[in-house]
Amino acid sequence: MADCIFCKIANGEIQSQTVYEDESVRVFRDLSPQAPEHVLIVPKKHIENVAEFNSEDRGLAAHIFTEVIPKLAKDLNLDEKGFRLVINTGEDGGQTVNHLHVHLLGGRKMTWPPG
Ligand code: DGP
């Protein structure tokens, strides 16, 4: 999508601190980290948010949750102590960038409930 910042980052038009990339996703460090490790898992395909996922995206969703996240957890040394995944969705969900992204945060003890 032409004016989408995460499309541009995911496709490499804009530089980012990339920690992982493959044919369908880019994972890069959040500009405003909320934990010692804070990366964003971003599909290269423009999908507005998780509510817009459809059956065509089943393979992508499975790839993110069964391959990318477990690999990141290991690579970032978060697999033993744990981490948090966040998918802000829409206005009430606190989504500020309208391109689906999964936050992966770790390296500190998280609190609950979130704000
Ligand atoms: P959300 O509120 O879930 O839509 O989170 C958007 C996140 O994206 C927020 O934590 C800040 C981050 N972010 C916004 N613009 C950029 C950018 O240009 N580069 C990077 N690396 N992160 C960004």
Side-chain angles (χ1 to χ4, degrees), residues 5-6 9 16 28-32 34 38 40 87-88 94-98 101 103:
I5 183 85
F6 279 9
I9 295 175
S16 64
F28 51 91
R29 296 203 174 275
D30 195 289
L31 200 60
S32 174
Q34 302 301 312
H38 185 175
L40 301 172
I87 308 178
N88 294 325
Q95 185 176 8
T96 59
V97 178
N98 292 324
H101 50 282
H103 296 255

Side-chain angles (χ1 to χ4, degrees), residues 6 16-20 26-42 72-73 75-78 82-88 94 96-97 101-108 110:
F6 279 9
S16 64
Q17 286 187 55
T18 295
V19 300
Y20 174 79
R26 184 184 292 269
V27 180
F28 51 91
R29 296 203 174 275
D30 195 289
L31 200 60
S32 174
Q34 302 301 312
E37 295 289 2
H38 185 175
V39 298
L40 301 172
I41 302 153
V42 178
L72 289 169
D75 290 353
L76 298 173
N77 287 317
L78 301 172
F83 54 91
R84 179 169 290 173
L85 301 175
V86 175
I87 308 178
N88 294 325
T96 59
V97 178
H101 50 282
V102 181
H103 296 255
L104 187 157
L105 303 112
R108 69 167 168 84
M110 301 293 159

